[in-house]
Amino acid sequence: DTAVSQTPKYLVTQMGNDKSIKCEQNLGHDTMYWYKQDSKKFLKIMFSYNNKELIINETVPNRFSPKSPDKAHLNLHINSLELGDSAVYFCASSQDYSVPSYNEQFFGPGTRLTVL
Amino acid sequence: GQQVMQIPQYQHVQEGEDFTTYCNSSTTLSNIQWYKQRPGGHPVFLIQLVKSGEVKKQKRLTFQFGEAKKNSSLHITATQTTDVGTYFCAPRYNNNDMRFGAGTRLTVKP
């Protein structure tokens, strides 16, 4: 069983479209994250949720909206896609962000988003 | 703000040579984690360092945390082609904020 799964793995879409990426973890973790990795491999945190509550909300365009229906799921919805949104998006989870010894992050396989 | 510098950005080595990547923070860290990302893969946790001056080893990998808890290093002895990938440090600050360094991309020539 995959610990952190994301769907879809690849997403090719036109500018202006709206798309969603789903993430699920079966580790029983309290904290989940979304990262964006650009072509230079920079890993930039976008959002983090702890027990369905938003705890990190970095400076990202408000076209990006996370949703956590329960603590095992954290989805990312993107409105009005732009060329610059093309990147690999990683979901991750950790047991409890507030406890240093429980903060090892487990990453999903990534979603490669290409905006044409 | 809290910033971390990871150097070098790229490192090309001949198989069998050693490799080191460094992570330097402007502020004292609570702890620091290291991750490895293989080409086409996702970041995978390697280790966490917590104590001042801590040194941990995993086979050919040696991780160090500075005495002032502001810097850390990952050293690989006698690199192999399986070591290829990008190594990230992920420092954690005292306010629980955690950021990833820019990464060091290692290529190994057989």
Side-chain angles (χ1 to χ4, degrees):
Chain A
D1 284 343
T2 306
V4 183
S5 58
Q6 293 178 230
T7 52
K9 190 166 174 143
Y10 300 95
L11 186 52
V12 181
T13 188
Q14 299 285 333
M15 272 175 57
N17 284 349
D18 302 339
K19 290 293 177 186
S20 292
I21 308 172
K22 295 188 175 182
C23 178
E24 177 182 1
Q25 54 96 2
N26 63 8
L27 297 166
H29 287 171
D30 286 347
T31 310
M32 295 186 73
Y33 312 80
W34 274 112
Y35 289 89
K36 178 181 180 181
Q37 187 171 49
D38 60 22
S39 56
K40 293 185 179 178
K41 297 292 188 184
F42 292 128
L43 258 178
K44 182 176 183 292
I45 189 162
M46 301 173 70
F47 303 102
S48 178
Y49 273 71
N50 190 62
N51 274 318
K52 302 195 300 173
E53 185 180 330
L54 182 66
I55 54 170
I56 295 175
N57 186 1
E58 288 296 292
T59 308
V60 300
N62 57 15
R63 298 180 294 103
F64 290 80
S65 54
K67 280 195 172 54
S68 182
D70 55 61
K71 74 173 195 177
H73 296 84
L74 181 60
N75 304 322
L76 184 64
H77 187 76
I78 316 170
N79 287 328
S80 303
L81 279 155
E82 299 178 358
L83 293 175
D85 297 332
S86 295
V88 179
Y89 291 83
F90 286 104
C91 176
S93 74
S94 66
Q95 192 169 347
D96 185 342
Y97 86 104
S98 64
V99 180
S101 57
Y102 293 163
N103 205 38
E104 170 188 345
Q105 293 189 30
F106 294 78
F107 282 77
T111 296
R112 183 174 293 276
L113 171 66
T114 304
V115 182
L116 304 174
Chain B
Q2 293 159 337
Q3 291 187 350
V4 64
M5 179 178 292
Q6 187 172 356
I7 55 172
Q9 193 174 355
Y10 300 95
Q11 186 80 57
H12 311 284
V13 300
Q14 191 78 35
E15 190 172 21
E17 291 180 341
D18 292 356
F19 159 77
T20 305
T21 172
Y22 301 90
C23 203
N24 300 308
S25 171
S26 54
T27 56
T28 304
L29 304 172
S30 171
N31 61 51
I32 190 164
Q33 296 177 351
W34 285 91
Y35 290 76
K36 176 183 178 181
Q37 183 178 18
R38 292 181 188 273
H42 58 275
V44 175
F45 174 83
L46 293 176
I47 210 156
Q48 175 166 285
L49 305 171
V50 179
K51 299 176 185 173
S52 166
E54 190 169 14
V55 178
K56 287 188 177 179
K57 293 194 175 187
Q58 289 179 353
K59 297 183 181 178
R60 295 178 294 103
L61 277 61
T62 302
F63 303 84
Q64 294 191 33
F65 202 9
E67 294 289 343
K69 298 183 72 171
K70 286 186 176 182
N71 52 65
S72 180
S73 65
L74 157 58
H75 179 84
I76 302 178
T77 305
T79 54
Q80 299 174 359
T81 54
T82 52
D83 295 325
V84 163
T86 301
Y87 292 85
F88 292 96
C89 66
R92 181 183 172 108
Y93 299 90
N94 291 326
N95 61 355
N96 286 335
D97 191 26
M98 194 174 108
R99 294 283 182 263
F100 279 77
T104 296
R105 198 178 303 190
L106 172 66
T107 53
V108 179
K109 190 174 179 183

